[in-house]
């Protein structure tokens, strides 16, 4: 019953004292809630929760397994969070499967030149469902607020009592395959065609998936025909997605296509201030400015830095100053890169280009496989410490000369082709920010 406490004690022996005192010491174990394969720990605040989750939950689960032969799901949480999670699940049952994050609201979204067009479009859709821009298509890079905006509209609709479905293409696809397998297509269609609002996130993953495009098309037609609001997001303009049926692509552009650009400095500053306010973090002006200038565009990354700063200052009882901030940022960037493996890179590239990681590492010679392999090799060389022979072995190439040939080719392409360069930048950004 007190296995959780024992696990924390073991962890104490395995990590440095400083690390233990900074984070783990503040965790408490809840034996009552830790049943049915769950191990529940409480942390002092939301930001620390996230941080400990990322750094230690795997390790804690591993200790449960080796010490007690228990396979558990580790839950690091705030006491109040458990209740709200239950409420969320109830809501989910009531409202279809929409899992909207309530903090993704319009009032929490900072507007500037980079996102005002998208903001205005989503806002007006939220005030007039089905009647202004239908569908509304929002596109832009990673971590720029697409999901946030889309869900802000979703929250408005949900509060009005509409049935909102929020889903990613992946969930939609899983749901679809399951329905085929279980012979429940009728229920599937009922669910997606009878909702009031459909929000589909990251539509680029439809690319090259014919069967689901077909189903998707009919869902779209049914909803649109009934005047139901549809909102899409993607990482690029519908024209650039590729591997889409022409009829789908044209429908994506029927309503309004709005882009989100990386935030300019003032918007970044406003976002940081807002996040500080929400999370009750106090930072001086020079620190806010510093973070805003160093983090190029990804807002998710800004959040990561804030939570790190907050956790440090809380746990070590120190005030955050500029020198300290600089150190944390330096650490963070180094850590992002050190954690990168060739596996992670290959997975991100494979997902983005809609092929399997195993194909990238195979001897396959088809055009798209070779393309993905070359890109993966190039990015691995840029972002990891792997040597040419290691790369050759990993990607099943003959030897290191084959690797250097590939890298030369990619460099030439980057020089010549602006779109290709953008693609590489986009992937690199995805890899370094999602890991
Ligand atoms: P995307 O879906 O475009 O990858 P998200 O919507 O998930 O990005 O945004 C990443 C994080 O950044 C979220 O926590 C979101 O709340 C925050 N964020 C992004 N843009 C803004 C903004 N303009 N104002 C406030 N928060 C933002
Ligand atoms: Mg998103």
């Amino acid at each position: 019953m007190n296995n959780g406490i024992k696990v924390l004690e073991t962890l104490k022996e395995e990590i440095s004292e400083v690390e233990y005192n900074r984070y783990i010491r503040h965790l408490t174990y809840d034996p009552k809630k830790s049943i049915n394969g769950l191990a529940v720990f409480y942390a002092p605040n939301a930001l620390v929760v996230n941080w400990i989750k990322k750094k230690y939950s795997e390790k804690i689960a591993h200790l449960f397994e080796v010490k007690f032969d228990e396979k558990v799901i580790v839950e690091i949480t705030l006491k109040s969070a458990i209740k709200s999670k239950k409420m969320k699940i109830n809501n989910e049952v009531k409202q279809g499967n929409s899992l909207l994050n309530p903090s993704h609201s319009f009032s929490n979204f900072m507007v500037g030149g980079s996102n005002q067009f998208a903001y205005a479009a989503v806002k007006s859709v939220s005030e007039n469902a089905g009647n202004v821009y239908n569908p509304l298509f929002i596109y832009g890079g990673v971590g720029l607020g697409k999901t946030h905006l889309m869900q802000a509209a979703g929250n408005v609709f949900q509060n009005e009592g509409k049935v909102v479905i929020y889903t990613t293409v992946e969930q939609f696809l899983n749901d679809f395959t399951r329905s085929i397998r279980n012979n429940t297509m009728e229920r599937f269609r009922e669910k997606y065609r009878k909702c009031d609002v459909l929000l589909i996130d990251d539509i680029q993953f439809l690319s090259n998936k014919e069967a689901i495009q077909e189903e998707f098309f009919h869902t779209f037609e049914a909803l649109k025909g009934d005047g139901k609001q549809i909102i899409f997001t993607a990482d690029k303009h519908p024209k650039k997605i590729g591997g889409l049926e022409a009829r789908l692509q044209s429908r994506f552009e029927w309503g309004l296509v709005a882009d989100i650009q990386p935030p300019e400095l003032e918007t970044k500053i406003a976002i940081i201030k807002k996040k500080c306010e929400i999370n009750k973090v106090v930072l001086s002006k020079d620190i806010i400015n510093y973070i805003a200038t160093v983090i190029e565009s990804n807002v998710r990354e800004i959040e990561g830095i804030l939570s790190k700063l907050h956790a440090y200052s809380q746990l070590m009882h120190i005030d955050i100053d500029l020198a300290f901030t600089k150190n944390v940022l330096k650490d963070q960037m180094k850590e992002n890169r050190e954690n990168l493996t060739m596996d992670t890179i290959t997975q991100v590239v494979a997902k983005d280009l809609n092929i399997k990681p195993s194909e990238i590492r195979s001897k396959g010679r088809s055009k798209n496989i070779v393309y993905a392999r070359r890109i993966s090799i190039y990015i691995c060389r840029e972002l990891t410490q792997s040597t040419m022979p290691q790369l050759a072995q990993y990607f099943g190439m003959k030897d290191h000369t084959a690797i250097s040939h590939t890298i030369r080719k990619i460099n030439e392409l980057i020089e010549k082709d602006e779109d290709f360069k953008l693609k590489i930048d986009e992937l690199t950004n995805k890899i370094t920010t999602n890991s």
Side-chain angles (χ1 to χ4, degrees):
M1 195 164 124
N2 282 323
N3 292 357
I5 297 173
K6 293 197 181 119
V7 160
L8 292 183
E9 280 165 7
T10 314
L11 195 57
K12 184 179 183 176
E13 287 154 25
E14 293 200 359
I15 62 181
S16 74
E17 199 182 327
V18 179
E19 269 187 273
Y20 178 83
N21 283 334
R22 265 187 211 165
Y23 328 115
I24 303 300
R25 187 165 63 87
H26 303 271
L27 280 184
T28 49
Y29 177 62
D30 187 338
K32 282 207 198 93
K33 294 256 160 49
S34 299
I35 44 171
N36 300 333
L38 264 188
V40 179
F41 295 89
Y42 299 120
N45 63 52
L47 293 164
V48 181
V49 167
N50 289 339
W51 197 28
I52 292 191
K53 247 186 204 164
K54 192 172 156 203
K55 269 198 103 134
Y56 294 103
S57 55
E58 231 173 81
K59 174 108 195 147
I60 293 173
H62 177 72
L63 286 175
F64 268 99
E65 201 173 340
V66 291
K67 271 186 85 80
F68 303 109
D69 204 21
E70 279 181 41
K71 264 204 185 322
V72 295
I73 294 174
V74 173
E75 178 139 343
I76 313 279
T77 184
L78 285 168
K79 242 189 174 117
S80 55
I82 290 209
K83 222 175 25 252
S84 65
K85 200 163 192 182
K86 270 201 197 122
M87 270 164 49
K88 210 158 152 192
I89 292 168
N90 286 340
N91 264 341
E92 191 187 333
V93 175
K94 248 189 357 241
Q95 306 270 6
N97 76 339
S98 89
L99 268 179
L100 298 171
N101 179 341
S103 66
H104 284 158
S105 62
F106 285 116
S107 57
N108 284 345
F109 191 84
M110 297 296 103
V111 186
S114 56
N115 57 26
Q116 65 187 11
F117 182 42
Y119 173 86
V122 180
K123 191 86 190 0
S124 69
V125 160
S126 78
E127 286 158 4
N128 209 342
N131 292 323
V132 270
Y133 311 118
N134 200 15
L136 174 61
F137 193 106
I138 306 289
Y139 76 94
V142 201
L144 298 187
K146 302 183 294 296
T147 301
H148 185 137
L149 265 184
M150 166 187 251
Q151 293 204 352
N155 280 315
V156 170
F157 295 136
Q158 195 155 288
N159 291 338
E160 291 168 353
K162 295 196 169 81
V163 177
V164 178
I165 294 189
Y166 165 82
T167 180
T168 61
V169 166
E170 266 168 324
Q171 281 163 355
F172 184 79
L173 180 60
N174 289 342
D175 215 3
F176 176 68
T177 356
R178 203 175 325 115
S179 307
I180 293 181
R181 204 172 44 231
N182 301 340
N183 230 336
T184 51
M185 267 322 278
E186 223 166 287
R187 218 161 69 204
F188 173 89
R189 293 196 171 129
E190 173 91 357
K191 171 174 150 191
Y192 285 100
R193 295 179 193 184
K194 289 281 178 311
C195 63
D196 299 314
V197 177
L198 181 63
L199 312 174
I200 303 206
D201 216 351
D202 291 322
I203 207 84
Q204 70 273 12
F205 293 119
L206 275 182
S207 162
N208 294 322
K209 301 194 175 94
E210 281 99 28
I212 193 71
Q213 285 186 27
E214 165 92 30
E215 182 59 35
F216 190 78
F217 174 76
H218 294 296
T219 307
F220 179 91
E221 292 287 283
L223 287 170
K224 174 83 186 158
D226 286 344
K228 304 293 180 56
Q229 182 67 48
I230 308 161
I231 307 180
F232 299 117
T233 74
D235 65 353
K236 40 181 117 50
H237 190 282
K239 275 206 178 56
K240 293 234 162 140
I241 292 180
L244 284 182
E245 284 181 26
R247 58 180 184 177
L248 255 188
Q249 192 185 315
S250 75
R251 273 158 184 80
F252 287 153
E253 296 179 56
W254 265 6
L256 178 73
V257 179
D259 67 324
I260 298 193
Q261 293 297 325
E264 50 289 279
L265 191 63
E266 305 82 84
T267 315
K268 277 192 276 184
I269 291 173
I271 293 173
I272 297 173
K273 285 186 176 155
K274 186 75 194 178
K275 299 286 168 190
C276 286
E277 180 195 315
I278 294 174
N279 294 304
K280 304 197 172 48
V281 183
V282 182
L283 293 180
S284 68
K285 210 167 146 195
D286 55 341
I287 294 180
I288 294 178
N289 287 348
Y290 178 75
I291 299 173
T293 27
V294 171
I295 304 285
E296 294 248 320
S297 68
N298 190 320
V299 181
R300 203 171 291 133
E301 209 174 338
I302 292 180
E303 290 182 332
I305 295 291
L306 292 180
S307 85
K308 208 160 194 171
L309 280 174
H310 183 63
Y312 267 124
S313 76
Q314 284 268 309
L315 300 175
M316 296 164 76
H317 302 289
I318 53 168
D319 290 332
I320 305 170
D321 63 14
L322 190 59
F324 181 72
T325 308
K326 284 186 177 167
N327 261 330
V328 170
L329 269 152
K330 209 165 68 201
D331 256 18
Q332 167 90 20
M333 291 185 178
K334 204 164 132 234
E335 206 174 277
N336 282 354
R337 302 217 156 181
E338 275 170 359
N339 286 340
L340 275 182
T341 61
M342 292 197 275
D343 280 345
T344 321
I345 293 171
T346 313
Q347 273 157 21
V348 177
V349 175
K351 191 166 174 196
D352 189 81
L353 299 175
N354 275 309
I355 62 173
K356 298 198 190 88
S358 58
E359 287 177 312
I360 292 191
R361 299 182 59 190
S362 72
K363 301 247 184 268
R365 301 295 314 159
S366 76
K367 209 170 140 202
N368 57 342
I369 294 181
V370 172
Y371 176 75
R373 188 180 302 127
R374 287 188 166 163
I375 289 181
S376 305
I377 291 173
Y378 178 83
I379 297 179
C380 283
R381 180 69 182 164
E382 290 284 302
L383 297 182
T384 71
Q385 304 298 318
S386 312
T387 61
M388 300 264 192
Q390 281 166 343
L391 285 164
Q393 195 192 15
Y394 186 85
F395 288 100
M397 310 277 275
K398 212 166 89 227
D399 53 22
H400 70 276
T401 49
I403 296 288
S404 59
H405 174 76
T406 301
I407 289 170
R408 213 167 37 242
K409 278 260 169 286
I410 294 285
N411 274 324
E412 281 167 21
L413 254 182
I414 289 176
E415 289 274 302
K416 273 202 315 246
D417 185 342
E418 182 65 18
D419 275 352
F420 181 74
K421 181 178 181 307
L422 275 177
K423 182 82 214 168
I424 296 277
D425 287 348
E426 178 197 321
L427 279 167
T428 307
N429 187 17
K430 259 191 197 165
I431 290 162
T432 46
T433 54
N434 285 354
S435 61

